[in-house]
C-alpha cells in the first residue's frame, strides 16, 4: 500500500497529528505535507463555499480561505489538540472573517455605509458554525439517542416519543437527558478547542 493510500484512510485528526509531529527527516516532512494536502482536499471546497456566502466579494472569500489554510499549517503543531479538525479550521476562518467585518465596519462608518448588515452577516456565520458543531456532536450519539433528540427538537413530548418508538417512557427521559448532557459537553469542548 502506498503512503498516499495509507493516509486517505486516516481521520482528519490523525492527519493533523502527522503534521503536528513532523520530524526532521525528508520522509517525515513529505508525509506531513501529504497529510495537509489531503486535509485541504477534504475541506477546501466547503470552507470556500461557506466564505463566499458570507463575503461581499468572492476575491475576499478566496483571500480569507487562503489565509485560513496558511494559519492552519502554521498553528497545527502548537494549537491543535487532536480533536475535531474541521471545527478548529472553521473557527480560524470565522475569526478571520470577523476581522474582515471589523475592518469593513470601520471603513463603512467613515463612508456612511450600513454597518448593521455586516454584523448580521457575521452573526449568521457564527450561528451556522454553532449548528455545524451541534450536528457533529449529534452524529457521535448512537442511533436511538439521535432519534430521541431529533424528535424532541421537533416538538414531541417524551410521552409521544415513547409511544412512537415503543420505548419505555422513563428510558426515553433518561436517554434524552444523557444525550443532552453529552451534547452540551461536546459543544463546549469544541468551543474551547477552537478558541
Amino acid at each position: 500500500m502506498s503512503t498516499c493510500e495509507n493516509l486517505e484512510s486516516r481521520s482528519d485528526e490523525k492527519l493533523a497529528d502527522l503534521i503536528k509531529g513532523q520530524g526532521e527527516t525528508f520522509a517525515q516532512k513529505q508525509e506531513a505535507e501529504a497529510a495537509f494536502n489531503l486535509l485541504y482536499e477534504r475541506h477546501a471546497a466547503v470552507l470556500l463555499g461557506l466564505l463566499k456566502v458570507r463575503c461581499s466579494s468572492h476575491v475576499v472569500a478566496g483571500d480569507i480561505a487562503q489565509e485560513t489554510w496558511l494559519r492552519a499549517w502554521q498553528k497545527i503543531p502548537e494549537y491543535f489538540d487532536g480533536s475535531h479538525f474541521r471545527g478548529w479550521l472553521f473557527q480560524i476562518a470565522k475569526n478571520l472573517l470577523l476581522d474582515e467585518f471589523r475592518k469593513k465596519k470601520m471603513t463603512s462608518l467613515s463612508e456612511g455605509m450600513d454597518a448593521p448588515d455586516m454584523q448580521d452577516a457575521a452573526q449568521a456565520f457564527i450561528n451556522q458554525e454553532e449548528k455545524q458543531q451541534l450536528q457533529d456532536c449529534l452524529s457521535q450519539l448512537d442511533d436511538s439517542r439521535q432519534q430521541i433528540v431529533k424528535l424532541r427538537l421537533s416538538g414531541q413530548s417524551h410521552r409521544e416519543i415513547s409511544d412512537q418508538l415503543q420505548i419505555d417512557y422513563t428510558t426515553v427521559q433518561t436517554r434524552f437527558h444523557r444525550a443532552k448532557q453529552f451534547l452540551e459537553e461536546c459543544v463546549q469542548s469544541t468551543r474551547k478547542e477552537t478558541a
Side-chain angles (χ1 to χ4, degrees):
M1 181 184 310
S2 74
T3 303
C4 191
E5 289 171 353
N6 186 24
L7 290 178
E8 288 179 12
S9 65
R10 295 189 185 189
S11 69
D12 293 344
E13 292 72 29
K14 295 290 183 192
L15 293 172
D17 284 344
L18 285 175
I19 297 164
K20 196 174 192 175
Q22 65 178 299
E24 295 299 315
T25 70
F26 181 71
Q28 289 171 326
K29 288 182 180 186
Q30 272 191 317
E31 187 175 49
E33 288 178 17
F36 189 78
N37 288 338
L38 190 52
L39 287 170
Y40 180 85
E41 288 173 21
R42 289 180 183 176
H43 301 288
V46 174
L47 178 67
L48 182 58
L50 189 62
L51 289 168
K52 282 182 177 180
V53 169
R54 305 291 184 252
C55 292
S56 59
S57 162
H58 288 260
V59 172
V60 172
D63 290 347
I64 293 173
Q66 184 176 0
E67 182 64 24
T68 299
W69 286 106
L70 177 64
R71 288 199 186 177
W73 174 255
Q74 293 169 340
K75 304 288 185 184
I76 284 174
E78 189 176 348
Y79 294 107
F80 183 67
D81 72 353
S83 60
H84 195 34
F85 175 79
R86 185 173 63 192
W88 182 78
L89 179 73
F90 281 25
Q91 184 66 40
I92 293 171
K94 180 179 89 170
N95 292 342
L96 290 169
L97 183 61
L98 290 173
D99 288 346
E100 183 65 25
F101 284 134
R102 285 184 195 110
K103 287 181 204 171
K104 293 278 189 204
K105 181 178 178 184
M106 295 306 289
T107 304
S108 69
L109 290 175
S110 64
E111 294 175 4
M113 294 173 66
D114 191 10
D117 288 343
M118 287 180 267
Q119 290 173 341
D120 292 345
Q123 188 58 49
F125 183 79
I126 293 166
N127 292 343
Q128 179 64 31
E129 181 59 26
E130 288 172 351
K131 286 179 188 175
Q132 185 61 51
Q133 288 172 347
L134 182 58
Q135 189 63 41
D136 290 344
C137 291
L138 187 61
S139 69
Q140 295 176 37
L141 292 172
D142 63 63
D143 291 339
S144 174
R145 284 183 175 83
Q146 278 187 39
Q147 197 172 19
I148 289 169
V149 169
K150 287 177 182 177
L151 290 171
R152 191 75 179 105
L153 290 174
S154 73
Q156 292 191 27
S157 69
H158 289 121
R159 180 69 63 200
E160 291 170 326
I161 296 169
S162 172
D163 293 342
Q164 182 178 344
L165 300 179
Q166 299 178 347
I167 299 174
D168 182 64
Y169 175 73
T170 55
T171 303
V172 169
Q173 286 182 308
T174 302
R175 287 181 183 172
F176 178 74
H177 177 72
R178 288 184 181 155
K180 184 179 168 190
Q181 277 183 314
F182 170 79
L183 292 172
E184 288 171 355
E185 290 169 7
C186 180
V187 168
Q188 279 292 63
S189 71
T190 302
R191 286 182 185 154
K192 286 178 186 174
E193 291 163 12
T194 57

